[in-house]
Amino acid sequence: MNTQPEHPLPHHHLRIWQQNLNTSHTAQLALLNSPISDEWDILALQEPALNLSGNTRANMHWRVVYPTHKCTHGEKPRVVTLINSKISTNTWRQVPFPSKDIVVIQLNTSGGQCMVLNIYNDNNQ
């Protein structure tokens, strides 16, 4: 159980960590078990480690957002976005996008709305 209260972004800057994990379970677990949740709001991950069901790992500090295409077509994603669980779910929403390689999040902040796009580019398209 997370004992920290949810809150909107407590600072003036959105902090996003981007990393290609090259499907490495070791790299993903090292990242998740680091103190990264204390410093970063969003993790934009490409080529995350997936289980046989096409799901990735996270912990209590993160909410996983998959491409909407995964839910509608069952394809394994090549991108996932993790939102810090300190950020209230009332301040963001996923925007549907028809691709297994793109996650779109809309955040509502005190300064207005912000769209965050996490895109996997395989350099072939």
Side-chain angles (χ1 to χ4, degrees):
M1 182 171 148
N2 187 358
T3 58
Q4 298 176 346
E6 289 186 345
H7 53 80
L9 298 176
H11 38 72
H12 298 292
H13 301 284
L14 184 62
R15 298 169 297 182
I16 302 173
W17 178 280
Q18 183 277 326
Q19 184 170 347
N20 186 316
L21 295 169
N22 199 28
T23 68
S24 169
H25 289 277
T26 302
Q28 187 158 341
L29 290 176
L31 181 66
L32 292 172
N33 290 316
S34 73
I36 195 165
S37 66
D38 295 334
E39 299 294 325
W40 299 89
D41 302 309
I42 295 175
L43 303 182
L45 304 177
Q46 292 81 44
E47 296 186 22
L50 302 173
N51 63 21
L52 294 175
S53 299
N55 295 321
T56 195
R57 291 184 182 221
N59 58 31
M60 67 181 188
H61 300 292
W62 303 101
R63 292 189 174 90
V64 180
V65 183
Y66 293 98
T68 51
H69 204 262
K70 177 188 185 303
C71 298
T72 58
H73 292 83
E75 295 185 76
K76 289 190 176 183
R78 297 190 287 187
V79 62
V80 296
T81 300
L82 305 183
I83 310 267
N84 197 311
S85 60
K86 294 177 186 175
I87 300 172
S88 172
T89 56
N90 293 325
T91 63
W92 63 271
R93 70 177 185 92
Q94 182 172 10
V95 177
F97 196 87
S99 172
K100 67 178 179 178
D101 295 332
I102 299 174
V103 174
V104 181
I105 303 294
Q106 179 182 336
L107 293 136
N108 297 311
T109 68
S110 59
Q113 292 184 342
C114 174
M115 291 282 231
V116 176
L117 286 77
N118 183 6
I119 301 171
Y120 175 78
N121 182 354
D122 63 8
N123 292 322
N124 293 323
Q125 300 177 19

